[in-house]
Amino acid sequence: MTSPAAVMIEARGVEKWYPNGFHALRGVDLTVHQGEVVVIMGPSGSGKSTFLRTFNALEDFQQGSIEVDGIPLSDDLRQIDAVRREVGMVFQQFNLFPHLSVLENLTLAPVLVRKLPKQAVQRRALELLDRVGIAEQAHKYPGQLSGGQQQRVAIARSLCMEPRVMLFDEPTSALDPEMVQEVLEVMQGLAQDGMTMVVVTHEVRFARQVAHRVVLMDGGVVVEIAPPEQFFSAPQHERSKQFLRQIG
């Protein structure tokens, strides 16, 4: 049985170059423990989303190492598939299948990928839709839902695969302001339930209230890692102070 302090993500010396020679990640280290919520912040182009996407091999890297739940990421497709079965991902855009109902969006992957029985998956999907507050939308299509509802469907769809880690890449940035809070409340509920989460976001209130640690990235490096009360009240680095003044 996994101990509460088990390491879920271990990134060491991660380096990434794009084909045009741009050095996107410069020796990045990060350890995320089971049940921990880590928020990554930083200016546009700082490498935060690129770093996040290396955790499930949506972005490759050229040097360093990443392990997810003890599985090392490499070019081996079997290892990549094993990691992706453990990691849920929620993007800025909802990436729902428009021709499938909400319920069908949730059940497709567990049935096809995990080979789970359809009836059991449907029961689980309906429970998750209830959990994110949109059980009544199960038989509608994504185009009939608001942006906030679609993002909650996307979260439920990831949860339907029973991941051990959830990654969120600016999940509220495409939403109208009045829809942001409903999505953040769902994420807060996941955190309270002990889900391991790494969240790229500019939502300061969420970071203050929910994160165990806040990471600031800039120029492809980690500038500072600190608990939120320290990061927002007494940051150690001048770059952190400058960033907080800009977003404050």
Side-chain angles (χ1 to χ4, degrees), residues 3 20 27-28 37 72 77 80 85-86 90-91 96 99 148 153 157 174 189 198-199 203 209 214 221 229 235 246:
S3 66
N20 65 3
V28 184
V37 179
L77 292 177
I80 291 173
R85 281 195 293 270
E86 304 296 329
V90 178
F91 301 89
L96 301 173
H99 63 290
V153 172
R157 180 177 61 177
V198 184
V199 185
E203 297 291 341
Q209 294 177 348
V214 179
V221 302
E229 58 273 17
Q246 288 172 337

Side-chain angles (χ1 to χ4, degrees), residues 127-189:
E127 289 171 2
L128 288 169
L129 289 173
D130 184 56
R131 179 177 177 181
V132 301
I134 48 173
E136 73 285 356
Q137 312 292 349
H139 300 291
K140 290 186 179 179
Y141 288 85
Q144 298 173 283
L145 306 182
S146 71
Q149 289 171 329
Q150 289 188 62
Q151 192 62 293
R152 284 186 280 165
V153 172
I155 293 171
R157 180 177 61 177
S158 288
L159 292 173
C160 215
M161 290 291 283
E162 300 183 358
R164 291 173 57 77
V165 181
M166 286 284 285
L167 309 177
F168 295 85
D169 188 5
E170 302 200 34
T172 59
S173 65
L175 299 178
D176 293 333
E178 65 269 19
M179 297 176 185
V180 168
Q181 190 57 34
E182 63 189 52
V183 172
L184 293 179
E185 285 173 0
V186 169
M187 293 169 62
Q188 190 162 359

Side-chain angles (χ1 to χ4, degrees), residues 105-120:
N105 265 281
L106 266 66
T107 58
L108 184 66
V111 171
L112 290 181
V113 177
R114 285 200 181 268
K115 310 298 183 187
L116 298 174
K118 188 171 183 178
Q119 283 188 320

Side-chain angles (χ1 to χ4, degrees), residues 18-89:
Y18 283 106
N20 65 3
F22 178 67
H23 198 176
L25 299 174
R26 301 168 179 262
V28 184
D29 297 337
L30 183 66
T31 301
V32 180
H33 293 90
Q34 185 179 26
E36 188 177 22
V37 179
V38 174
V39 166
I40 304 178
M41 308 187 87
S44 178
S46 61
K48 55 191 187 297
S49 290
T50 300
F51 186 44
L52 184 81
R53 291 162 68 94
T54 62
F55 297 161
N56 62 353
L58 288 177
E59 293 276 2
D60 61 1
F61 57 97
Q62 284 71 50
Q63 290 181 24
S65 64
I66 298 176
E67 287 191 8
V68 179
D69 198 15
I71 305 168
L73 269 174
S74 68
D75 293 334
D76 187 327
L77 292 177
R78 290 169 298 181
Q79 286 178 311
I80 291 173
D81 286 343
V83 166
R84 286 179 176 169
R85 281 195 293 270
E86 304 296 329
V87 177
M89 182 98 186

